[in-house]
Amino acid sequence: MRERRRLRMGILALVSVVLLGALPLFFGLRTLSHDPVFDTLDALSVPSWAATKTVDNVSGSRWCLQDCRLRERTVESQKAWKETAQAYEAALSRDGWQRWKVDRCPEQKVKGSYTCWRRDELTLDLWVREPTCVPPAVAGEPAPSPVPAPAAGECTGSLVSVKVRNAIDDERTGPQPTTDPSLTGEDPYPTLTDDPLGEPAPSPS
């Protein structure tokens, strides 16, 4: 009887230890695997037509080991890109994001609306443009490449891309290279004149 009681007590103690350790471990792993930045994006008060389909992607480390974390979200909207951009910009402003006017926003000229934002230790890039539409494939032929403009009556709405980075990892938050010739010794972006040959050389005397 004593051995049975000891066995039962041992089993109960083991089950208690497993439960007490498993629950914190479960919630801890859940917290580490889930990025709260996406909760912030989910909380944006955009109309339902502006977020009909959402795809998230995460890369990098939360603690900036080698690469800092990059959060990317792609959203499909049912309305044109201008109206969609206005809806997202208004939602970001209401949520405390500040419009960030900085060079290299975007890196190169793109179609649609591209704006940059900052809040606390995060930076956000918002790009809203027309969708990339792919015509249906024909049997026996290779898949067609995407066309830049939507096909009339078949491809409508717009596409939204959101990138959120840690401000410390965003190179645009640091000092930008200067083009002052007195500091660099040579202007890397010289001013070009209309005359491809430049000023005429003086004639020999």
Side-chain angles (χ1 to χ4, degrees):
M1 293 295 293
R2 291 181 180 177
E3 292 181 357
R4 290 182 179 178
R5 289 179 181 177
R6 291 177 181 176
L7 181 60
R8 290 176 181 176
M9 293 297 295
I11 293 175
L12 290 175
L14 180 61
V15 171
S16 300
V17 170
V18 170
L19 291 177
L20 292 175
L23 289 177
L25 180 62
F26 170 76
F27 288 108
L29 293 176
R30 183 180 178 182
T31 301
L32 292 177
S33 61
H34 184 72
D35 198 314
V37 173
F38 288 118
D39 292 336
T40 302
L41 298 179
D42 291 337
L44 291 177
S45 57
V46 295
S48 58
W49 52 260
T52 58
K53 184 178 180 182
T54 302
V55 178
D56 292 334
N57 186 32
V58 180
S59 60
S61 168
R62 180 176 297 183
W63 295 278
C64 289
L65 300 176
Q66 293 184 347
D67 295 322
C68 289
R69 176 155 290 191
L70 171 64
R71 301 93 168 171
E72 298 179 275
R73 167 169 288 190
T74 303
V75 185
E76 293 182 5
S77 172
Q78 295 177 341
K79 295 191 178 182
W81 67 267
K82 289 185 178 180
E83 189 172 356
T84 301
Q86 292 175 357
Y88 273 89
E89 290 174 10
L92 288 171
S93 297
R94 288 192 297 267
D95 200 41
W97 290 87
Q98 301 292 327
R99 191 75 171 263
W100 186 29
K101 295 182 180 180
V102 63
D103 294 336
R104 299 164 61 190
C105 175
E107 297 282 349
Q108 57 186 5
K109 189 175 181 180
V110 295
K111 294 183 178 180
S113 172
Y114 198 109
T115 54
C116 297
W117 304 75
R118 287 195 67 172
R119 196 184 78 169
D120 300 331
E121 75 282 2
L122 300 174
T123 65
L124 182 148
D125 287 35
L126 173 67
W127 182 23
V128 187
R129 72 276 189 193
E130 293 180 343
T132 302
C133 304
V134 181
V138 180
E141 296 184 3
S145 58
V147 295
E154 297 180 359
C155 189
T156 59
S158 57
L159 194 63
V160 181
S161 293
V162 180
K163 288 186 178 182
V164 182
R165 287 178 282 185
N166 294 65
I168 194 174
D169 189 51
D170 195 330
E171 62 276 2
R172 296 171 298 181
T173 61
Q176 301 299 311
T178 180
T179 60
D180 187 354
S182 64
L183 299 178
T184 60
E186 180 180 353
D187 190 349
Y189 305 107
T191 302
L192 302 179
T193 62
D194 295 335
D195 187 355
L197 300 179
E199 297 295 331
S203 58
S205 54

